[in-house]
Amino acid sequence: MAATPTADYLAARDRAIAALATTNGEAAADQAREQAALDELEQRVRLIVGPIGIPGFPEPGDSNLGTLSPGVDLGKLDGVTAKDANGTTVYVSTSALLDAWLAGHRNWWGRSHAKLPQNAAAAFKISDFYTQAISPDAAATIFAELPLAHGPEVRSATALLLAFAQDGPAPNPPDELVVAVVRDGRAILLVRPLNLVQIPSCKSAWDRDNKVARGVLDDYTKSSLRDGAMFGKYVRLDAAANDNFIRCFGERFRPSADYEATRERAQALLDRVSGR
């Protein structure tokens, strides 16, 4: 029985990753091998995904894979990506590619992270999914979910306020609107930049929590960096301040002045995919 184009693509991708895991010590030659493999995979994935087919996005799109070599960028979602004139980025995969990707990333980060859900609807609600699938070398943080209306042709649709950051995103508001959709055998992610107004009560609470955490860090510094327990306390307080800000913003965003316009933007992104 002949292999499917998706199976052929995944096998070719895995062979290239395995071959590049051991370099020959010649940087230029290694880069040339990797680029040749990336170019071949891009042609394959374009044929599998087909046209992007969403108004405003240039065809045929580029592969979402930026590298096949070991490192933080390895293992992004297989598919094509493009950006429109307004700065919205689309990532288009297929249900088969997404299912295979989820299976391969179930334990991607090991025991330090929860296992990634193995169905799209659940995975779309997990920060780790976006960190690995589309992140620009930064951790994703979900602040809140927004409601969406869709017809039966859409199997799954999720809208989120999200931020990508090297460290905790607090005290900055989320700066990305993400709409993730499964429809007609395709998985589509749309990411639009946001410029949301700060919620003063959340910022004030973070300022207080952060002041306490910084005070502990100052004491640790005065101890000539010898008090490990004190540093551990600082780490816990800093993480709590960040988590509390995210929770506060998520809870208080709905009654904020930005809520309705942001919800309408999310719905418009979904309607754009749905052709409404």
Side-chain angles (χ1 to χ4, degrees):
M1 182 180 295
T4 67
T6 295
D8 285 344
Y9 165 84
L10 293 172
R13 182 202 64 188
D14 291 346
R15 285 195 302 269
I17 291 172
L20 289 163
T22 302
T23 66
N24 61 17
E26 298 180 9
D30 292 334
Q31 290 174 2
R33 282 196 304 153
E34 181 176 28
Q35 191 57 56
L38 285 169
D39 290 344
E40 178 191 354
L41 290 171
E42 182 172 75
Q43 295 304 314
R44 287 177 180 265
V45 81
R46 282 174 173 169
L47 291 173
I48 292 168
V49 171
I52 293 174
I54 302 173
F57 290 106
E59 301 285 0
D62 301 313
S63 171
N64 190 43
L65 301 187
T67 185
L68 300 168
S69 300
V72 294
D73 284 334
L74 180 65
K76 289 189 176 181
L77 178 63
D78 301 281
V80 299
T81 182
K83 182 176 287 189
D84 71 8
N86 297 316
T88 297
T89 302
V90 67
Y91 303 87
V92 185
S93 187
T94 67
S95 295
L97 283 173
L98 176 59
D99 288 345
W101 188 90
L102 289 173
H105 287 74
R106 181 193 293 268
N107 298 307
W108 189 261
W109 292 278
R111 295 180 180 178
S112 62
H113 285 70
K115 292 182 179 180
L116 199 63
Q118 293 300 288
N119 67 84
F124 287 165
K125 299 178 186 293
I126 303 295
S127 296
D128 285 348
F129 170 78
Y130 300 97
T131 297
Q132 188 57 45
I134 63 172
S135 168
D137 190 19
T141 298
I142 294 171
F143 280 69
E145 184 174 355
L146 302 173
L148 290 170
H150 61 81
E153 75 282 1
V154 175
R155 198 179 90 193
S156 172
T158 302
L160 303 167
L161 300 183
L162 187 142
F164 291 107
Q166 293 287 350
D167 299 312
N172 300 312
D175 57 2
E176 308 278 3
L177 172 62
V178 176
V179 173
V181 185
V182 174
R183 179 190 174 181
D184 298 333
R186 307 177 98 199
I188 301 172
L189 311 178
L190 293 137
V191 183
R192 171 179 172 157
L194 287 176
N195 185 20
L196 299 179
V197 174
Q198 180 66 270
I199 297 178
S201 58
C202 298
K203 175 61 164 58
S204 297
W206 181 87
D207 287 339
R208 292 193 298 271
D209 291 345
N210 183 60
K211 183 177 180 180
V212 174
R214 299 298 299 185
V216 174
L217 181 61
D218 289 344
D219 290 341
Y220 170 69
T221 302
K222 292 173 185 176
S223 76
S224 300
L225 312 182
R226 295 193 184 110
D227 192 334
M230 188 176 295
F231 182 73
K233 181 180 179 181
Y234 159 71
V235 171
R236 291 191 297 273
L237 288 171
D238 183 64
N242 189 70
D243 291 345
N244 290 339
F245 176 81
I246 294 165
R247 187 180 306 110
C248 178
F249 198 99
E251 291 173 350
R252 303 187 185 185
F253 181 68
R254 188 178 184 99
S256 74
D258 280 332
Y259 174 80
E260 189 56 31
T262 306
R263 187 199 63 76
E264 290 176 356
R265 291 188 185 103
Q267 187 66 51
L269 288 176
L270 176 58
D271 292 346
R272 190 172 173 186
V273 172
S274 303
R276 289 186 174 184

